[in-house]
Amino acid sequence: VRYAQDSLAAVIEQVIKDVAANPKMKQHTERALYHFRFIQEQRVGKVIVFDMTEEHMIEHVKLRAQDVGKATALHDVRVITGALTHAKSTWAKYKGLKLDFIKDAKHFLIKNDLIGKGNTRFRVASYEEEAQLRGHFQTENERGRNRIKCMSDIIAFACISARRRGEICRAKHG
């Protein structure tokens, strides 16, 4: 896919290539790549970065607010901010890029309750649901093998620790 020169989508494409070429930048996971690609295909992705204003950010978040929560909309703002900040600090062409509009846009979006933290989760699995899940993963699949050997332990850990999937996946032993 070819993006218009100096558009946000083109800058994101350069960032993706830059990150892929640098093994020290492992913080960009598959999920981050998904968000980068998503932003590229949005209306805001077509905006020339030198012409970006807070109105572009606000419009993007307002459109997103129809489908997602405040935390996801905030994540979009962070993805855009990260791409522009990387471009400004990495490539001479973007050294003069003005990013003050992001702060102004964030202020407006927070004030108007369009971005924010995720919803607090109150529901937990019942004992019956937990037992059903654990039982499912302890049974054999169609090939006669256990589905995932340690999944029952992972489910138990998730229920006891109340951590989200991403937090559990990032956990390290020791």
Side-chain angles (χ1 to χ4, degrees):
V1 176
R2 181 92 171 113
Y3 301 107
Q5 185 176 0
D6 295 329
S7 67
L8 177 59
V11 168
I12 289 174
E13 192 63 30
Q14 285 181 274
V15 170
I16 291 169
K17 289 176 183 173
D18 199 38
V19 168
N22 187 343
K24 292 181 181 179
M25 300 178 87
K26 295 241 186 238
Q27 76 269 22
H28 293 284
T29 62
E30 190 173 313
R31 189 82 182 141
L33 183 61
Y34 167 82
H35 276 87
F36 277 140
R37 294 284 184 221
F38 178 82
I39 296 295
Q40 283 179 306
E41 300 307 318
Q42 301 305 302
R43 190 182 313 178
V44 72
K46 294 172 179 56
V47 178
I48 303 303
V49 294
F50 296 106
D51 299 334
M52 281 191 85
T53 64
E54 66 183 282
E55 285 78 25
H56 292 108
M57 294 285 273
I58 292 166
E59 176 194 20
H60 172 74
V61 171
K62 283 182 176 179
L63 288 171
R64 284 287 275 159
Q66 297 169 6
D67 301 320
V68 299
K70 294 184 281 187
T72 304
L74 175 59
H75 187 70
D76 281 9
V77 171
R78 289 178 175 155
V79 167
I80 294 168
T81 303
L84 293 174
T85 303
H86 181 84
K88 182 175 179 159
S89 65
T90 306
W91 302 298
K93 178 180 189 177
Y94 299 109
K95 293 285 184 211
L97 195 59
K98 303 281 187 233
L99 301 181
D100 298 341
F101 72 91
I102 296 171
K103 185 178 175 185
D104 296 336
K106 276 179 143 176
H107 179 73
F108 175 88
L109 294 166
I110 290 168
K111 184 177 176 184
N112 288 280
D113 203 31
L114 292 168
I115 59 174
K117 293 188 176 183
N119 298 329
T120 304
R121 297 175 186 198
F122 295 106
R123 187 186 182 290
V124 295
S126 68
Y127 291 116
E128 294 81 20
E129 290 170 320
E130 182 185 344
Q132 186 180 9
L133 273 171
R134 292 178 79 169
H136 170 77
F137 284 106
Q138 288 172 342
T139 61
E140 294 178 348
N141 62 16
E142 58 277 351
R143 290 182 278 163
R145 296 182 183 157
N146 280 359
R147 295 180 189 279
I148 300 175
K149 292 181 193 257
C150 62
M151 187 56 77
S152 290
D153 296 332
I154 293 170
I155 292 168
F157 177 74
C159 291
I160 292 167
S161 69
R163 292 185 181 190
R164 295 180 181 187
R165 180 182 59 206
E167 293 171 317
I168 292 169
C169 292
R170 286 190 304 271
K172 292 186 175 158
H173 184 270

